[in-house]
Every structure is written in C-alpha cells, then in structure tokens.
Amino acid sequence: MNETTSDGDWPGVRPEVVAEVVSALSARLQKRLDGAAAKLAQRPVTRSGHQWRVEVDEETLLVLHAPDGVVADPADVRCGCLLAPACVHRAAAVTLCTLAEPGPDTTEPQAPDTARTQDAPAEDTLAEDNPTLAPSELAAARHLHHAACAVLAAGVGAAGAVTQAELLHAAHGARLAGLHRPAAAAVTVATRLRAARSGAPDHRLADLVSGLRDLLALTTALTRPPAGAETSAPLAELRGTARRTYAPEGGLRLHGLFTEPVLTATHAGAVSWAVDGDGRLSTIAEVMPHTDAATAPAQAAGAGNRALRLGDAPLSHREFSRAGLTVQGATRSATGRLGAGAAVRAVRAAGSAWTAGPAARLWSEPVADQVARALAAEELPYESRPAGSDLLFLDVTLLGPAPSGPDGAPQLLARCAGRPGPAGPVIALLPGHEHPELAFRANLALLATAPGLRLRVIGRLERSDRPELRLLALGAPPQPADPQPAGPVPALPADRAGRVNLGLERLQTADLPADLPAGPPAEPPVSAADTTPTNTRLTNTTLTVTTPTPPVHLLARRVAQTVTTGRQAPVPNAATAAADRRLLRAAGLATAAELLDGLRAEAASRGRDVFGRVVPDDHDAFAAAWLAAACYTEALGAALCTAAWAGEG
C-alpha cells in the first residue's frame, strides 16, 4: 500500500553514497545538479515499504531502496531514464536525502543478542599508539583539509551539491584511513551546510561556523603539527575512534535525575541522566534515526515513555528520572554512557530527592566552578567529554520576563543564588530546545507569570557575554535553615517527586503557588564587559554600572560573514577598515585588529593571469587566516562568558 509522504520527506543516505553518485556525473551534468535537485524537490514522493518513488516526468520513475530508512548502496538508487546510472536524477535524489550519520554519543545501543554487544571492546576501535601519521593517513587528512578550505572559500551560497559531495568523498577517505574524528566533523559540516542552504528551521549560523572551525583545526593539526607535538596522545585524540569502548564497573547504585528529549535533523529520542554514590553522572539513551521531520518531535516526546534498555529494569525513562536502579555487571564508557550488554542486571530501587543524597552534592559546587567546568568541556572532542560536563545545577529566584533579549526575543530572567555571597548573577533562562512541539517553551511561558518563585534547576550552559542557561528540568529548592521565609516554591504533586522534566512534561497553573508576590519589571542581565564605570543608573534601589561592550562583533561578524558569502565577501574601503582598527585597538583588542586585517588581506589576495582572470588556488592561506580569527573569537567568547557569570548582575 502506497503512502504519500509530505514534501521534502526523503529517506536518509550514507555520506559515501552521495560522494560516489555525484562523482559519477560528467562535468556538464555537475553544473546542472543544483537546479535539478531544486526541481526534483517539488515532485511528490510516495513510499511503499522500503521503497521511495518519485515520478520525474511522465516517462521516468526514480526509485530509492532504503532498508530501515537509509540508502546504504549506490545501486539502491535506480532511475528509468536513458542516461542512468550516470544521470542527474540519481545525484539530485541523494542530494535531497538527509545524511544518515550516527552521532558519537546518541546512537542506539545494540541489542544484547547481537554478535558483538555494545559494552564489549570493539575490534575496530583505533587503539594503537602510532606516534606519527602513516602516509595514507596524511594523504587523507590533506584531501579533507583542501575540501574544507574549498567549502569555506565558496560560502553557503556557492557550496552546492558538487562541493558538498567532494567534502563527503574526502570524509569517507578519512574514515577508511582511520581518521574517524575528522571524518565525523566533515559530515557534521555537510549536514549543517545543507540546512543553511535549504533554510531549515533548526539552522544556526553559529553551529556552521563552529563546525567549520573544528574541522579546519583538526585537519590543520594533522597536516601541519607544531614542532614537538608529535606524540601518541595528541594524535590518538585527533584520530578519534570508530566506536565507544566500555569498561566494567561492577555494581552501581544509580539515582535518576531527569530525562530530556533529543531532537536533531537525523535522530530523535530521549536521554536519562543519573548520579551514582560517588557523584558521577551517567546516561541511558533511547535515540533512533528518523526519516520524517514532521513526526520526529512526537518520536522524541514519546521516547520518554519507552522502557530503559538496561538489564530487565521495568522502568520507563520518565519513571527512572524519579526512581533509582541497582545494577550488577554494569559497564560504562569514558563519557558516562551505560552499556546494555547481556550480562547487565538491574532492579528498581528507591530514588532520592534533589535536596538529599548524592544528588544534593551537584548543587553544592560554586557557580563559577561549574561555569569553568562547562567551558573547559567545550574544548574537548564531543566524544571525549565527561557526561554532564556542560550542565549547571543552580538555585534561582525568578524575576519575571524582560522586554526582550539581546536578539529581540522574549526572555525569562532569574537571580542565581551565589556561593559564597548573598546573591549571584542575573541569568536569562532559555528553552532547552526551540521546537514548539516540545514542552520547553510552554513551560517557560508559564514560569514567566510567577516572579518571586524559588526553583532548583538543571540547565545547559549557553555561551554568551551575558549569563544564559537552557533550562532542562526544575524542582523545589531546599528550605533555608533560618526561620525567615525565603519565598514561595512550586507545589508539585507527589507523583512527580518534586521535579519536572521540562521537555517532556507540562507545568500546570496548579503547580504554582497562589500567593506569589507581584515583583517589579525585571532588568536584563548586564554583559561581562559592563565593568568600567563610564555610566551609572539607579534601578530598584540598586546601582548598576554600565558601559558599551567591546567591539568584538567587528571580528565575529566578519568570521560569520565569510562562512555565508565565502572568499568573495565584500572588502570594506580603507576608511572603514581604519575605523574598525581604531575601535578594536581603543578597546584593548590589538590582536583582534591584526586578525581582522589579516583575514581581509587574504580574502583580497587573489592572483591573476595576464588577461586579468583570477588564478585558482587551494585557499589554504585564506583558510588559515580565517581559522586564526575564528579561534580567537571562540577564546574571547569563553573569557567574556566567564566574566559575565563571575559578576553580580
């Protein structure tokens, strides 16, 4: 029975399939590929079992065979036109499909009865300590570096299907050579580049900038390592691993903390977080690939009700967030992922409140130390970050909504309880995920009506020059030891054990106390740069010192603009460049001024032949200048974020 799918509902495709199909096209057809893909995207798609069918025209039928929703072989893409298999229709089809590349820490655990369980050491894990790159590795790294430079030089507007396919081809070669981390970074860039070109709602330019920066930093470190840096540890980290490895942990007593939905362009599900008696955080994931973006939010929300894949524990993820487990034969990865092998045994145990037991210790860490830990984790490879390293555990008092945030969007402000000190910074609370079908945004809208409410929260640090936190879960804070009233707390029902998973469960008006005080309008948080007494104002009896923020945007904007428009980004005239240089140097950012001048100079430095035509180059010097500016902007952003959280709003 045929099922007509929605527009743009295509199966997933392996990256190497895209590279092989597109590379088979002639140069003439490659020039027509982007236009052919745009036309094919307007045709209706029907699905019957594992077959996706598209009628290109009255005489041509395109069929994609995708078991489990993923095209895994070029032969699975068949076209009825006369030019097949080297036809533009097959290449256009794989260009429209979603790249099906499992993430490093969100793949579904294998079932216990498979040939190799997930918690067994993987034979294909790159574990050798080779102190130098082999010739094949170096060649693959150079190929990937040149492909990444080409993407940067082209920009989002010009990095079409052919440029993307070349990047995926280089990524496949890197994976075959054992460079798993650079290969995964390249696939991430290709996925975000597609989202940018298609105008996908989950596209963020900052994510694409970050992905390109990481990819170029990896390939640069592999192809041109600094003197004295060729040791086994750095190279092993740069190479990455093909699979996670799990170490035996013996017996574990786990206390559930919260569950969050996971929703990406390719995967949907839920992840539950737990803490053991030693205060270590662990995760249990229920995340699967999806091929339909329309049903993915429901898949993510419904995953919270699915059973834990850990032994025979009769618990759903949502139930585990309020309960506990006693596990025998436990295995755990270096990043805190719990294995689900056949030898694992788990039985239900009592949970613990956030205000007692090992969970309470998470909130005892000073706020500044938590922020430093989260920022340090961002510098590690994603697959090497300890579980929960980017999470903050805070006690806050809601101040109410501010008129708008720095980008014009509404925001909910809260005062963080400081340790030490009577009060911490004012922070902006953001939804854990922006998708409207998840419960995050609705819950924040309800919380905005309750100024003065005291909460104990778990959130993910959002790096900014203002304190920002993406809220994931909340509960009731502990009552103070002194007899003075400290303010109202949420009145959560007993079956919620004093906490709410904000992405999976909706707060009700009855969960808020009825005697909330009417608070004054909230003041927006002060940026980290607002520390020099150049201007003062008196608001709500609190003297606030403000100053214009440093002109970091002059460099950051150029870094982002380069990713959007490529090397052809307009170069400002001499007067504008001189004014930018003066502003940066006046703010004490002399290095930023030099990097901005260097990036502009490399963008304009194009060789020409005797006829005045631009001579193609490998864009290596241009990419190096951009990478230096991007890394400086990243480091400066981390410093501003640290300063923002350290100040008292």
Side-chain angles (χ1 to χ4, degrees):
M1 177 178 176
N2 285 354
E3 174 189 352
T4 302
T5 60
S6 59
D7 292 343
D9 182 15
W10 293 77
V13 62
R14 297 285 297 177
E16 59 269 21
V17 174
V18 179
E20 182 173 342
V21 172
V22 174
S23 63
L25 292 179
S26 64
R28 179 179 63 87
L29 291 179
Q30 285 184 351
K31 295 178 180 179
R32 297 173 49 192
L33 179 54
D34 290 325
K39 291 181 180 179
L40 191 62
Q42 300 174 2
R43 305 296 298 173
V45 184
T46 59
R47 178 182 177 182
S48 178
H50 297 316
Q51 305 279 357
W52 274 256
R53 300 174 182 270
V54 186
E55 292 186 0
V56 180
D57 52 42
E58 295 180 356
E59 300 178 353
T60 305
L61 178 65
L62 184 66
V63 180
L64 291 83
H65 179 66
D68 299 325
V70 177
V71 179
D73 191 280
D76 291 337
V77 185
R78 301 185 295 272
C79 182
C81 73
L82 296 178
L83 293 179
C87 66
V88 73
H89 305 130
R90 296 177 68 242
V94 297
T95 299
L96 294 173
C97 293
T98 303
L99 292 177
E101 186 68 13
D105 276 320
T106 57
T107 52
E108 177 69 12
Q110 294 180 352
D113 58 350
T114 52
R116 182 173 64 192
T117 58
Q118 191 181 6
D119 37 295
E123 294 89 357
D124 57 349
T125 299
L126 191 62
E128 65 271 14
D129 293 329
N130 191 353
T132 59
L133 287 178
S136 60
E137 291 178 317
L138 184 58
R142 285 174 175 168
H143 185 194
L144 186 56
H145 180 74
H146 292 154
C149 291
V151 169
L152 177 65
V156 172
V162 177
T163 304
Q164 297 171 32
E166 180 60 28
L167 179 64
L168 294 175
H169 177 65
H172 183 53
R175 181 174 288 107
L176 293 179
L179 303 177
H180 302 286
R181 184 182 168 196
V187 174
T188 299
V189 168
T191 301
R192 293 174 179 174
L193 184 59
R194 285 184 169 198
R197 288 178 57 86
S198 63
D202 58 347
H203 162 64
R204 293 178 60 198
L205 180 58
D207 292 338
L208 181 55
V209 172
S210 175
L212 261 175
R213 183 189 66 246
D214 292 344
L215 175 58
L216 284 170
L218 280 171
T219 56
T220 300
L222 287 168
T223 56
R224 291 189 297 273
E230 291 188 328
T231 60
S232 59
L235 275 183
E237 184 176 294
L238 293 174
R239 288 187 179 106
T241 57
R243 285 170 52 87
R244 288 181 298 270
T245 56
Y246 287 75
E249 289 284 338
L252 286 178
R253 176 66 168 89
L254 300 176
H255 305 263
L257 282 176
F258 73 101
T259 300
E260 66 170 312
V262 175
L263 181 60
T264 69
T266 57
H267 289 71
V271 174
S272 290
W273 297 79
V275 61
D276 61 20
D278 295 330
R280 298 182 306 168
L281 294 177
S282 301
T283 60
I284 306 173
E286 181 71 28
V287 182
M288 297 288 289
H290 68 77
T291 58
D292 187 354
T295 61
Q299 179 180 335
N305 295 322
R306 299 186 65 177
L308 287 176
R309 302 187 68 175
L310 188 68
D312 299 323
L315 281 172
S316 69
H317 282 265
R318 189 179 299 183
E319 291 172 330
F320 176 59
S321 68
R322 299 176 172 91
L325 283 176
T326 299
V327 186
Q328 297 296 329
T331 57
R332 189 176 183 271
S333 72
T335 59
R337 176 81 174 267
L338 294 174
V344 178
R345 296 289 182 268
V347 295
R348 181 169 184 164
S352 62
W354 285 359
T355 56
R361 293 202 295 268
L362 299 172
W363 278 267
S364 64
E365 184 180 6
V367 175
D369 293 349
Q370 295 190 51
V371 173
R373 181 229 319 136
L375 291 174
E378 290 186 358
E379 300 179 5
L380 300 174
Y382 182 82
E383 63 274 10
S384 302
R385 297 176 187 174
S389 56
D390 59 344
L391 298 179
L392 302 186
F393 303 86
L394 307 175
D395 292 324
V396 302
T397 301
L398 298 183
L399 300 178
S404 64
D407 57 355
Q411 61 178 342
L412 174 62
L413 302 184
R415 170 74 71 176
C416 179
R419 298 183 187 87
V426 174
I427 61 177
L429 302 179
L430 309 175
H433 196 287
E434 296 290 349
H435 200 287
E437 294 188 32
L438 298 178
F440 287 116
R441 292 171 63 177
N443 285 331
L444 255 69
L446 182 59
L447 290 173
T449 66
L453 188 66
R454 295 172 54 242
L455 299 172
R456 171 157 281 194
V457 301
I458 301 175
R460 186 165 283 115
L461 176 69
E462 183 78 1
R463 205 187 63 185
S464 171
D465 61 354
R466 291 171 169 82
E468 294 181 353
L469 185 74
R470 293 206 170 269
L471 210 54
L472 302 174
L474 65 81
Q479 291 298 327
D482 58 79
Q484 297 294 328
V489 298
L492 300 175
D495 60 348
R496 290 194 172 184
R499 68 194 71 167
V500 177
N501 301 307
L502 292 174
L504 301 174
E505 301 158 348
R506 289 186 180 270
L507 284 166
Q508 305 298 324
T509 305
D511 297 331
L512 305 179
D515 55 346
L516 286 171
E523 286 290 331
V526 181
S527 70
D530 297 347
T531 55
T532 305
T534 61
N535 186 26
T536 59
R537 70 177 186 271
L538 192 64
T539 58
N540 299 330
T541 71
T542 300
L543 186 64
T544 303
V545 180
T546 63
T547 187
T549 58
V552 183
H553 65 280
L554 294 176
L555 181 61
R557 184 174 57 192
R558 179 66 185 186
V559 168
Q561 183 188 37
T562 300
V563 174
T564 302
T565 59
R567 194 168 181 174
Q568 302 299 327
V571 178
N573 56 42
T576 302
D580 292 346
R581 192 181 305 113
R582 284 195 302 271
L583 285 173
L584 289 170
R585 291 186 179 278
L589 301 175
T591 302
E594 294 178 4
L595 292 172
L596 182 58
D597 288 343
L599 179 57
R600 287 170 172 169
E602 287 296 339
S605 177
R606 305 294 300 271
R608 296 182 180 273
D609 59 17
V610 294
F611 299 104
R613 296 172 298 192
V614 175
V615 178
D617 61 16
D618 58 7
H619 308 291
D620 188 68
F622 169 70
W626 180 88
L627 179 60
C631 290
Y632 176 88
T633 305
E634 176 81 0
L636 186 58
L640 291 175
C641 182
T642 300
W645 282 86
E648 296 185 0

